[in-house]
Each structure stands twice: as C-alpha cells, then as structure tokens.
Amino acid sequence: VLLTLPYVVAAAARSHCFSTVARVVIGVAAGLGFAIKPHFFAAWFGVELLAWRREGWPALRRAEFIAAAAACACYAIAATVATPEYFGVLDQVRRVYGGLDSPSAVLLRLPEVQLWIVAAALLVAIRWPAAARLHSTLFAASTGYLIAAVAQFKGWGYQLYPARAFTVLFLVAAVAVLLDILPGALSILRGGRRGLATVFAGAMLVASIRYVAEARRPVSPDLVTPLIAAIRTHAPDGPLTVLSMRTIIYPAFPSVSYTGASWGLRHNALWFLPRFYEDQDASGTGALQPHAPERMPTLERSFFDQIVEDLCRFPPRLLAIERAAPAAPAGRRALDLRAYYSQDSRAKRLFDSYHPVGAVGPFTLLTADSSASCN
C-alpha cells in the first residue's frame, strides 16, 4: 500500500502536479510494490487501463509508468540471475499450494468483497463530474487488489489489506467529491475540508485500536510464547524441528527467529501435505490414511524423502509433532505424522529414541539424548 499509493494518486493527477524526478521515484517505488507478488499486477493493470481510457496511448509514456516497468524488469532479471532455482520451486508450489485453498462460499462472504460491492454501487449510481479522477482511480486499484486477493483462493487476512485500504480511500475520496457537487454540503461541516480530514484521521485512529487490542488478547491461542520457553529449556541452540500439517509455519516461525535456534529442515513447514490428502479430507471422516511410500505420487515421495533425509542429517534436540485430528471437520483433519514418516525405517529408528516432555497446543514436544540417530 505504501509503495503503490503515490503511483495511484499520480495516475489520477495532471502531469504538471509532480516533477519528473518525483514521478520517476514514484514509479520505481510502485514497481517494487507491484513486483512483490505477481497477483498485484491486477491492480496495476486496472489503474493503467483507466489511464489509457482517459488519455489513450500517451498514458504509457508517463515517467512513472516507464520507471515502474523498468523496476519490475530489473527485479525479474535479478531474481532470474541470482536465484535460477526459484523456477523449480515455483513449479512445485504451483502443484501443491491449492491444498490450502478456502471454499468459494468463504471467499464470497469476505467483508472486503461486501465493502467493494457497496463501493461499486456508489460508483455506478452517481453521476460524477468529468473532472473528478481520484475516486475512480482508487476504485480501479481496490478492484485489482481484491482480484489479487481472491485469485489466491485463501482469504487470509493479510492478503486482503491492500484491497481494504484502497476501498476505504475510494469511499473517502467519493465523499469529498460529493461534498463538492452538493450545494452547501461543505458549509455544514465545521472546518470544511480540514474538518472532514480531521474526522477521517480520528476515525482511522479509533479503528486501529482494535488491532492493538487483538495483539494483547489474540483470538487464536498463543503457541509462540510456550514454544519459545520450551526451546530455551531443551534446545537453546537447536536444531529444532516442528512437524505440522495444519498450522503450517506457525508456531515454528517466528519462534526460531526470536530464539536464534537452528532449524533442522530445508522446508519451513509441511505446507505441501494438505494437497496430497485433499480428497480424503473432503470426502470422509475419521483418520486420514497415509499413502505407502511406494504408492505416493512422485512429488509427495520427493517431499517425504527430503524430510526424512533432513531429520537424519540434523536430529532435532527438540521435536514438536502435531497430533492427528481424526474427529476434526473436513479441511482441518491431519495425518498421524509420526506414523507417516515412520514408514521409512530410518525415521522410525530416530523417533523411537525420543520421549515426550510436554505439549504446546496441538503439539507433543519430544526430546532425546545426544545419541539419537537414524542408524
């Protein structure tokens, strides 16, 4: 939001409102902002489509557009040259990431979608002055960011932040335009535009209080604090391994970052497993049945072997294993991960040397003496 908002404003403004240097800086910042995720190009496309409709092909000769395109190109070239293995990882992620998707009904009920519908109705219902440009440009950006969030099929809150911010900004800009076109409307506000801006800033400040409250009283249980305590007690230097099918990287990270303990796996989580058991999870009840290694799809077997190899290479001083959840509703059931990886005799020998020392949420904590080995 911070990197791309100036670009959106500049796209709505007349060219003389910014110096060439400022427009280049705005474009470079926006290029980096849009390049963070390919999905964000939907917002860029929406803004540029609107600019093209207003100005035609000369819109593509704007200094900020050229700078943004150059920044994205440099980003792509640097990533390709410096990390060519990225494309192999991308191919793997593409094939398994869908296992974390949310149902369509959940996506359609997102508050951001409902807020966008209100904004769209407002945009269509009102006859806006021809000179008003900011509100429609903000709406184009909010639409693109909402498409970017929904197209990821997750509905995770942080993915919706840009859409939420730009939709709110559209509504504020729309109110400002309406105050201009409604006779006498501005005169009834104390302080005029400054008063309106003060009220908006105050409303945003009050709204932000809830985030502070949530941080102090999180809706979900805090698993990081007790895991940090366990790490400092049993494995202050690591290696640490957390095996989880459903909490994904939490609470392993940020616990590893906070403690500085070494991490034992090449993966940050078992983020890939839900995809391989998606059909079982959605169609039945009871425990998920692990695939035998010889019957695993090629990609599942590759990930299976990688985890076992890493466990054997760096036997964890503290091992946290998520407990199976056979009675959980569809979409929340998990494998018995100890049994799953114990199908490999090396991992079974390693696990047999561990004993439980406690629990953190859905995780059983285990430790072993220094002789723990897959041999």
Side-chain angles (χ1 to χ4, degrees), residues 193-240:
R193 288 185 178 277
R194 289 186 178 182
L196 178 64
T198 302
V199 170
F200 172 67
M204 291 295 98
L205 181 62
V206 171
S208 69
I209 293 174
R210 77 180 182 94
Y211 294 102
V212 178
E214 287 177 3
R216 292 180 176 177
R217 295 187 300 275
V219 177
S220 57
D222 174 18
L223 304 182
V224 172
T225 301
L227 182 58
I228 287 175
I231 293 171
R232 289 173 175 164
T233 300
H234 300 287
D237 299 321
L240 167 71

Side-chain angles (χ1 to χ4, degrees), residues 2-8 10 18-34 62-69 71:
L2 293 176
L3 288 170
T4 61
L5 177 58
Y7 185 90
V8 175
F18 301 94
S19 68
T20 301
V21 172
R23 289 159 63 190
V24 168
V25 172
I26 287 171
V28 170
L32 296 176
F34 292 130
R62 302 188 334 272
E64 60 268 32
F65 174 79
I66 295 171

Side-chain angles (χ1 to χ4, degrees), residues 5-374:
L5 177 58
Y7 185 90
V8 175
V9 173
R14 308 298 177 183
S15 59
H16 64 269
C17 294
F18 301 94
S19 68
T20 301
V21 172
R23 289 159 63 190
V24 168
V25 172
I26 287 171
V28 170
L32 296 176
F34 292 130
I36 289 173
K37 260 187 183 179
H39 303 80
F40 292 162
F41 278 66
W44 191 12
F45 177 79
V47 170
E48 289 306 321
L49 180 62
L50 193 57
W52 178 80
R53 286 192 61 189
R54 288 172 179 154
E55 303 174 21
W57 294 112
L60 302 183
R61 295 199 295 268
R62 302 188 334 272
E64 60 268 32
F65 174 79
I66 295 171
C72 287
C74 290
Y75 185 97
I77 293 170
T80 302
V81 173
T83 55
E85 63 274 15
Y86 165 79
F87 297 98
V89 175
L90 177 64
D91 180 61
Q92 291 181 338
V93 171
R94 178 185 59 79
R95 287 186 276 165
V96 298
Y97 198 44
L100 304 174
D101 289 351
S102 297
S104 299
V106 172
L107 298 176
L108 293 175
R109 290 198 302 268
L110 291 170
E112 287 74 15
V113 173
Q114 298 167 7
L115 184 63
W116 179 88
I117 292 173
V118 172
L122 187 63
L123 185 72
V124 172
I126 295 174
R127 184 176 295 150
W128 303 96
R133 298 159 60 108
L134 180 59
H135 70 287
S136 56
T137 307
L138 287 168
F139 181 80
S142 72
T143 301
Y145 277 123
L146 184 62
I147 291 171
V150 174
Q152 295 174 73
F153 299 110
K154 305 295 180 291
W156 296 338
Y158 75 90
Q159 295 177 346
L160 291 153
Y161 289 165
R164 184 185 310 170
F166 275 93
T167 305
V168 169
L169 289 172
F170 159 76
L171 293 172
V172 173
V175 168
V177 173
L178 290 175
L179 289 175
D180 271 346
I181 63 177
L182 294 176
L186 197 60
S187 63
I188 68 174
L189 294 175
R190 295 181 184 274
R193 288 185 178 277
R194 289 186 178 182
L196 178 64
T198 302
V199 170
F200 172 67
M204 291 295 98
L205 181 62
V206 171
S208 69
I209 293 174
R210 77 180 182 94
Y211 294 102
V212 178
E214 287 177 3
R216 292 180 176 177
R217 295 187 300 275
V219 177
S220 57
D222 174 18
L223 304 182
V224 172
T225 301
L227 182 58
I228 287 175
I231 293 171
R232 289 173 175 164
T233 300
H234 300 287
D237 299 321
L240 167 71
T241 296
V242 178
L243 300 179
S244 169
M245 181 174 175
R246 287 302 174 191
T247 65
I248 314 301
I249 66 173
Y250 180 84
F253 297 87
S255 298
V256 170
S257 306
Y258 288 158
T259 60
S262 62
W263 177 249
L265 305 178
R266 72 192 75 181
H267 297 277
N268 61 7
L270 306 183
W271 52 272
F272 41 80
L273 272 181
R275 180 61 163 181
F276 300 124
Y277 292 86
E278 189 175 26
D279 293 342
Q280 275 193 50
D281 194 17
S283 63
T285 58
L288 301 180
Q289 299 303 311
H291 304 146
E294 62 275 11
R295 296 184 179 179
M296 290 178 181
T298 302
L299 189 56
E300 181 185 3
R301 181 59 188 268
S302 173
F303 286 134
F304 178 90
D305 290 340
Q306 288 175 6
I307 297 298
V308 172
E309 289 166 7
D310 291 349
L311 286 168
C312 292
R313 185 181 296 113
F314 303 109
R317 289 187 61 192
L318 179 64
L319 173 63
I321 301 182
E322 181 185 44
R323 293 185 291 276
R332 299 302 307 164
R333 289 186 293 154
L335 284 165
D336 181 335
L337 294 170
R338 180 164 182 162
Y340 176 70
Y341 287 109
S342 290
Q343 294 182 101
D344 186 292
S345 59
R346 296 169 297 168
K348 186 177 187 308
R349 284 192 293 271
L350 179 68
F351 288 149
D352 286 345
S353 63
Y354 283 78
H355 58 274
V357 292
V360 171
F363 294 91
T364 300
L365 303 181
L366 305 105
T367 60
D369 56 39
S370 57
S371 63
S373 170
C374 290

